[in-house]
Amino acid sequence: MGRAQRLPLFYNGKLYTLGISGIVSAFDAVSGKLVWQKPAAAEHPFFGTSVSPVGDKGLVIVNPGDYGPLTAFDAHTGDVRWTAGVDSSFASPIIVDLDGVRQVVTMTQQDVMGVSVADGAILWRYPWVSQMTASAITPIVDGNTILVGGQGMGLKAIKPIKRDGQWVTELKWETMASLNVHRVTRCSLETHCSDCQSEQADSSSRSTPRRVRCYGWGNQGKLRMRLSSRRAI
């Protein structure tokens, strides 16, 4: 299946993996027997695939790694049930409920988009053209708000909502665009910081301090805490 760079998915008694070249495989979790497998595309991603599959409603959903669309495979047979979009990035998709609609939120090379789990219809898009490498930071959700970040792009909190039968996106808050974000996680560092969002700006140099900033979800992204520490060698 090729070396993997992300976590496998355990779903309904099977283990699903995405190899570094884009091979999608399903194994029986008890016996380890290969149940089905999809070959890699002719063109492999320059850095290899780096996406974790997600499972929902009998589907395994992943960017296979050929710069192609988000793809939903039948979890039992491996048949393609739907595809969405025209390209992909290195960020893993997530499953969310927004305005009562089950959807996949994923990053592409051009935008953030929400896709219906039921049929693969693209519900909404928010422009997100990567300034450096294609997006590799998995978005996270809090209620109906999606937080995305990127290298040289800072953080943005967007809220997709359905208005008059159409999906639209609202920008709730953002940090300075020059912020070099490498990782985005929920944090609970202290009681007063339990409703924060942290981003880590990691330097490739071991002698450079690692900076961790904590932003409030419900306070227009106001910076609440800044930490700095040396990287362990």
Side-chain angles (χ1 to χ4, degrees):
M1 66 181 179
R3 181 172 66 87
Q5 297 192 115
R6 282 295 179 102
L7 295 174
L9 167 71
F10 176 73
Y11 179 61
N12 286 348
K14 295 183 180 65
L15 196 66
Y16 300 89
T17 64
L18 177 66
I20 195 170
S21 65
I23 298 173
V24 183
S25 305
F27 300 89
D28 183 275
V30 176
S31 67
K33 180 182 177 181
L34 180 67
V35 178
W36 57 261
Q37 187 175 78
K38 298 297 179 180
E43 182 184 6
H44 297 173
F46 186 76
F47 296 108
T49 63
S50 184
V51 175
S52 297
V54 292
D56 195 60
K57 306 295 184 183
L59 302 174
V60 173
I61 305 168
V62 70
N63 295 112
D66 57 354
Y67 301 111
L70 183 72
T71 303
F73 298 95
D74 184 288
H76 298 292
T77 66
D79 294 337
V80 175
R81 296 274 291 275
W82 54 255
T83 63
V86 295
D87 58 29
S88 59
S89 67
F90 298 103
S92 299
I94 59 172
I95 303 289
V96 300
D97 285 296
L98 299 176
D99 270 359
V101 178
R102 194 74 167 168
Q103 51 190 279
V104 189
V105 174
T106 188
M107 311 285 289
T108 76
Q109 297 180 41
Q110 302 294 324
D111 52 29
V112 188
M113 67 179 185
V115 178
S116 169
V117 171
D119 58 11
I122 298 175
L123 304 174
W124 55 268
R125 293 179 183 268
Y126 184 86
W128 188 264
V129 181
S130 300
Q131 300 301 310
M132 298 184 185
T133 57
S135 297
I137 300 173
T138 299
I140 61 175
V141 62
D142 184 75
N144 285 332
T145 302
I146 308 293
L147 192 75
V148 294
Q151 298 180 47
M153 299 184 69
L155 297 171
K156 287 190 178 183
I158 59 176
K159 184 177 182 179
I161 57 175
K162 201 169 186 179
R163 181 182 297 154
D164 299 326
Q166 298 293 323
W167 284 91
V168 297
T169 55
E170 296 180 349
L171 178 63
K172 304 303 292 182
W173 57 264
E174 62 183 326
T175 65
M176 57 183 177
S178 61
L179 203 62
N180 200 25
V181 181
H182 284 249
R183 186 177 307 147
V184 178
T185 57
R186 287 301 297 267
C187 72
S188 183
L189 301 178
E190 300 289 348
T191 302
H192 71 278
C193 193
S194 61
D195 188 36
C196 286
Q197 183 56 46
S198 70
E199 58 80 16
Q200 293 189 41
D202 291 318
S203 169
S204 59
S205 171
R206 295 191 178 193
S207 61
T208 303
R210 179 173 59 186
R211 299 173 302 281
V212 179
R213 296 177 177 89
C214 187
Y215 299 89
W217 270 104
N219 193 22
Q220 297 301 308
K222 183 179 179 181
L223 182 62
R224 293 188 178 183
M225 183 180 294
R226 183 185 288 111
L227 303 174
S228 179
S229 64
R230 295 284 175 179
R231 285 183 132 195
I233 297 177

